[in-house]
Amino acid sequence: MLAAAWGLVREDGLAALSLRELARRAGITTPTVYAYFESKNAIFDAMFAEAAQAFVDLKAGLPVTDDPGKDLLTEAEAFVRFCVDDVPRYQLLFQRSVPGFTPSPESYELAVGALEVTRELLARNGVHDQRHLDIWTAITTGLVDQQVSNEPGGDRWTRLVDDVTQMFLARYASGETSP
């Protein structure tokens, strides 16, 4: 059923998720959907958890080298690709674009775990201040927002990842490798 939900939102956007259409695509009746999910928000929560787990898995699969700057760039490039390659997944995870939907604590914890990987990678680069983590996430999501909003399928903003990573590290990295 989640595969059908993802197919629907990838075609028509998150707002297009309807229980009737989901049931039709899943080959079940609309009331049967409620046997699996108590509400549309429960479906969004399951989708959020699935997307967050994919994000965690992506981060876990990235190489770790002796060059923390290179590792930060690799993570940023992977993040941007992850987002622009699946805009509804990006919107669900990072934009809060479904009115009335808040992920469950269990689903949200997955996303927090992924952010912790970024925090640790920034610390390896000598970046320890919470404000600087906030700046980093604003920069990287800003690149994604610009790309998906202004040039879907292109690379005008995604190709800036190396430049912004270098600028960020030049400004905020202290050169320390431990907290």
Side-chain angles (χ1 to χ4, degrees):
M1 195 167 331
L2 285 181
W6 280 115
L8 181 60
V9 300
R10 286 179 178 132
E11 285 175 24
D12 299 321
L14 290 168
L17 183 62
S18 98
L19 298 182
R20 177 176 289 149
E21 181 59 18
L22 176 60
R24 188 188 70 73
R25 288 182 182 218
I28 59 176
T29 65
T30 303
T32 304
V33 172
Y34 288 102
Y36 296 95
F37 300 100
E38 65 186 38
S39 66
K40 187 188 290 190
N41 279 349
I43 296 168
F44 281 126
D45 189 59
M47 293 170 71
F48 184 97
E50 190 173 273
Q53 186 61 58
F55 190 45
V56 167
D57 294 345
L58 169 79
K59 288 185 167 225
L62 294 175
V64 177
T65 70
D66 292 335
D67 183 344
K70 179 181 176 185
D71 292 351
L72 184 64
L73 174 60
T74 298
E75 183 195 46
E77 290 170 336
F79 169 75
V80 169
R81 273 192 315 277
F82 179 84
C83 295
V84 300
D85 287 349
D86 192 335
V87 174
R89 178 178 64 191
Y90 167 69
Q91 292 170 329
L92 186 61
L93 281 176
F94 301 106
Q95 290 192 322
R96 307 284 192 200
S97 53
V98 178
F101 169 68
T102 301
S104 66
E106 298 80 16
S107 295
Y108 192 68
E109 187 61 34
L110 290 167
V112 170
L115 183 61
E116 189 57 34
V117 172
T118 301
R119 183 186 316 277
E120 292 167 4
L121 185 50
L122 288 171
R124 284 184 54 219
N125 280 279
V127 179
H128 304 284
D129 191 312
Q130 176 63 42
R131 294 175 316 125
H132 300 155
L133 171 64
D134 293 346
I135 291 168
W136 178 248
T137 61
I139 289 169
T140 54
T141 58
L143 289 175
V144 172
D145 286 343
Q146 287 294 332
Q147 191 62 60
V148 300
S149 297
N150 296 303
E151 192 190 38
D155 70 349
R156 180 175 174 189
W157 283 272
T158 59
R159 70 176 183 242
L160 300 175
V161 173
D162 184 50
D163 292 338
V164 299
T165 301
Q166 289 180 40
M167 289 185 328
F168 177 84
L169 290 174
R171 174 67 172 97
Y172 296 112
S174 68
E176 300 171 15
T177 57
S178 62

